[in-house]
Amino acid sequence: AQSVTQPDARVTVSEGASLQLRCKYSYSGTPYLFWYVQYPRQGLQLLLKYYSGDPVVQGVNGFEAEFSKSNSSFHLRKASVHWSDSAVYFCALSAANTGNYKYVFGAGTRLKVIA
Amino acid sequence: DTTVKQNPRYKLARVGKPVNLICSQTMNHDTMYWYQKKPNQAPKLLLFYYDKILNREADTFEKFQSSRPNNSFCSLYIGSAGLEYSAMYLCASSSGTGDTGQLYFGEGSKLTVL
């Protein structure tokens, strides 16, 4: 069975600082991996996705993530955060490449950017 | 238009009463999902429709029902609400082709059971 763990429930960073949000997954096959963001009073929106190829994928608003098969990780990074990045970030995994469209989410990391 | 709409946004229900939540999408996606989201927990998949085929998770099989009268609409039905059903319910859709599985979410329906 698949699982996703986001070990940090809350992260606080100063505006302009760099950011890393951690995501670990468990899946015996090759996963499809996603980061979604939920801003206040909005639905979850896709930040970026990884299917194959270059392990570093670029997303919207300067976010990127790096897939590591050896570490079973898909950490999210940003070089310089802005106050508007305050939101809840969800890592997700799917086994869609097997024809199984079930997605598994982590519990989310609430990011607070302070001045 | 990549919009998924959910109604109602907020629902207050009494214990033992039925609840019906509605979701619609105009992207002609073949798959629609319902997730339950409680504070500090991961979204939990309740069920999904692939075309007209309903797939329900084993541990929620008897608690939730759903219908999909056409490609655009999907409902989530709770026959008798309990306090434990208080949560945010997220509807999402995806296409099996083209966008390789990205989920498109609605804003959610917040259910409070009293």
Side-chain angles (χ1 to χ4, degrees):
Chain A
Q2 308 99 290
S3 69
V4 174
T5 301
Q6 294 180 247
D8 305 308
R10 294 176 182 272
V11 170
T12 301
V13 297
S14 299
E15 192 168 22
S18 62
L19 170 72
Q20 176 171 279
L21 301 182
R22 296 183 292 164
C23 173
K24 299 276 286 185
Y25 70 89
S26 174
Y27 178 54
S28 57
T30 300
Y32 286 178
L33 293 161
F34 306 81
W35 276 98
Y36 287 84
V37 60
Q38 186 174 29
Y39 299 105
R41 294 172 296 282
Q42 296 186 27
L44 278 74
Q45 305 168 34
L46 182 70
L47 263 185
L48 48 78
K49 58 190 176 186
Y50 172 80
Y51 295 140
S52 64
D54 189 337
V56 179
V57 291
Q58 305 296 322
V60 298
N61 297 334
F63 284 93
E64 67 175 28
E66 183 168 5
F67 168 68
S68 171
K69 187 172 184 178
S70 60
N71 293 323
S72 298
S73 67
F74 189 56
H75 300 330
L76 181 70
R77 302 190 297 240
K78 187 171 184 179
S80 176
V81 297
H82 186 263
W83 66 267
S84 60
D85 293 325
S86 295
V88 183
Y89 292 79
F90 294 92
C91 182
L93 173 154
S94 84
N97 55 341
T98 64
N100 178 358
Y101 290 91
K102 292 175 65 170
Y103 295 76
V104 175
F105 284 82
T109 298
R110 183 175 296 274
L111 173 66
K112 182 177 181 180
V113 180
I114 58 176
Chain B
D1 182 11
T2 55
T3 301
V4 176
K5 296 188 186 298
Q6 293 187 239
N7 285 293
R9 292 289 309 279
Y10 301 92
K11 175 69 178 178
L12 187 63
R14 295 292 182 187
V15 170
K17 296 297 186 182
V19 174
N20 197 43
L21 306 177
I22 303 295
C23 178
S24 65
Q25 52 91 10
T26 57
M27 296 170 280
N28 201 34
H29 282 167
D30 51 19
T31 310
M32 294 184 74
Y33 308 78
W34 281 101
Y35 285 86
Q36 181 190 64
K37 174 76 173 71
K38 295 186 176 182
N40 303 315
Q41 296 183 21
K44 174 183 170 60
L45 179 66
L46 299 176
L47 52 89
F48 68 96
Y49 264 99
Y50 173 65
D51 196 13
K52 293 181 173 60
I53 301 170
L54 174 62
N55 298 269
R56 286 187 285 182
E57 292 295 281
D59 58 346
T60 58
F61 192 85
E62 295 180 347
K63 297 181 180 180
F64 299 92
Q65 297 175 38
S66 183
S67 67
R68 192 176 186 186
N70 56 56
N71 179 267
S72 300
F73 288 88
C74 187
S75 68
L76 181 70
Y77 181 75
I78 301 168
S80 177
L83 296 176
E84 71 276 15
Y85 288 86
S86 291
M88 181 72 80
Y89 289 86
L90 306 176
C91 176
S93 69
S94 71
S95 174
T97 60
D99 224 6
T100 53
Q102 174 187 340
L103 294 178
Y104 294 82
F105 282 89
E107 293 176 333
S109 292
K110 186 173 183 180
L111 172 64
T112 302
V113 182
L114 301 175

